[in-house]
Amino acid sequence: MGKGAAGGEKKEHLYKILVIGELGTGKTSIIKRYVHQFFSQHYRATIGVDFALKVLNWDADTIVRLQLWDIAGQERFGNMTRVYYKEAVGAFIVFDLTRASTFDAVTKWKNDLDLKVQLPDGRPVPCVLLANKCDQPKEGLMNNTSQIDDFCKEKGFTGWFETSAKENINIDEASRFLVTQVLENDKAMKSDDAAKDKDVRTLDDSGAHERSEKKGCCS
């Protein structure tokens, strides 16, 4: 571990983030652009699952390592998909602004995500919707941003961004938005765990005190 601002050890976090959505929406292109600053028109369809690592020097005291899981069409896996979703703490769902049918499929992906993975406290993992290929002409309903706003509120997305892997638009911003929420959730859950540990210790201490008193009394 490196040194933090005050000379102490930096905190390191490793988070599993899913990138899901219909085939051909640009999931792999988004990951390649974000991790390697690289774009190509010619990616073969991802078979199975692939993942890439992005290391963020989040602030002076924190390093965040994102394990970005690129999941191909779930229809190839059947029930195995749950394994890929396991222990994820955040997700991007990607659709293609030039193909309205990929937006229609977003609800299926969000339902699948919420069914197969939750935070330890039972809440859905934070999920950001990416309207990809915004550098190209949009199709039909995709021109109506207020409709996408309403859709995201209704379906429980934490937010949405128009992105372009080709032109490198909003990809860093969308990731920073999601990671901020993941860190806040992590911090809240750790403080809850610490409070529970404190309660357990208090109970143990009081129990030990009672036992010692009884022992003294009986002797």
Side-chain angles (χ1 to χ4, degrees):
M1 278 199 193
K3 297 290 183 184
E9 295 296 327
K10 283 195 177 190
K11 288 178 291 193
E12 290 198 18
H13 302 278
L14 176 64
Y15 295 131
K16 177 177 175 178
I17 305 293
L18 305 171
V19 183
I20 56 181
E22 292 296 280
L23 294 170
T25 53
K27 301 185 297 297
T28 301
S29 295
I30 286 170
I31 291 171
K32 296 278 189 197
R33 168 62 79 183
Y34 182 51
V35 174
H36 304 296
Q37 293 304 309
F38 176 75
F39 177 80
S40 167
Q41 299 277 12
H42 308 291
Y43 290 122
R44 59 183 175 76
T46 308
I47 306 297
V49 67
D50 193 11
F51 64 84
L53 190 69
K54 173 78 170 180
V55 181
L56 301 172
N57 290 302
W58 189 255
D59 58 30
D61 301 311
T62 315
I63 293 172
V64 173
R65 297 177 191 277
L66 299 181
Q67 204 180 55
L68 294 149
W69 286 59
D70 184 357
I71 296 179
Q74 61 160 19
E75 64 279 0
R76 293 195 178 120
F77 306 117
N79 292 329
M80 283 174 62
T81 330
R82 196 178 289 272
V83 174
Y84 296 132
Y85 283 44
K86 191 178 178 185
E87 294 177 356
V89 294
F92 294 109
I93 295 179
V94 185
F95 76 95
D96 178 348
L97 275 168
T98 71
R99 290 190 293 140
S101 62
T102 65
F103 179 67
D104 296 337
V106 165
T107 299
K108 173 195 79 174
W109 284 101
K110 183 68 165 69
N111 291 342
D112 199 49
L113 176 74
D114 292 345
L115 180 68
K116 288 177 177 157
V117 64
Q118 293 87 32
L119 296 174
D121 61 7
R123 287 180 299 137
V125 299
C127 184
V128 173
L129 183 64
L130 301 184
N132 195 38
K133 306 189 186 179
C134 70
D135 56 288
Q136 297 178 31
K138 299 170 189 174
E139 185 174 295
L141 299 171
M142 300 304 96
N143 287 298
N144 189 339
T145 56
S146 64
Q147 185 188 17
I148 302 179
D149 284 337
D150 293 342
F151 173 82
C152 286
K153 285 176 192 154
E154 180 194 334
K155 301 298 180 186
F157 285 91
T158 51
W160 73 280
F161 291 80
E162 288 193 7
T163 58
S164 167
K166 185 177 182 182
E167 302 296 334
N168 198 15
I169 297 168
N170 272 345
I171 291 171
D172 287 351
E173 290 81 356
S175 178
R176 192 158 187 93
F177 178 77
L178 180 60
V179 173
T180 299
Q181 294 173 325
V182 169
L183 282 164
E184 285 171 2
N185 283 339
D186 202 10
K187 188 176 175 185
M189 282 185 282
K190 279 177 179 163
S191 62
D192 285 349
D193 288 344
K196 283 176 193 162
D197 286 347
K198 190 176 175 188
D199 288 344
V200 169
R201 278 198 298 275
T202 306
L203 285 169
D204 286 349
D205 292 346
S206 62
H209 181 59
E210 284 172 21
R211 285 195 295 277
S212 62
E213 277 188 342
K214 284 175 185 170
K215 189 176 177 185
C217 164
C218 296
S219 61

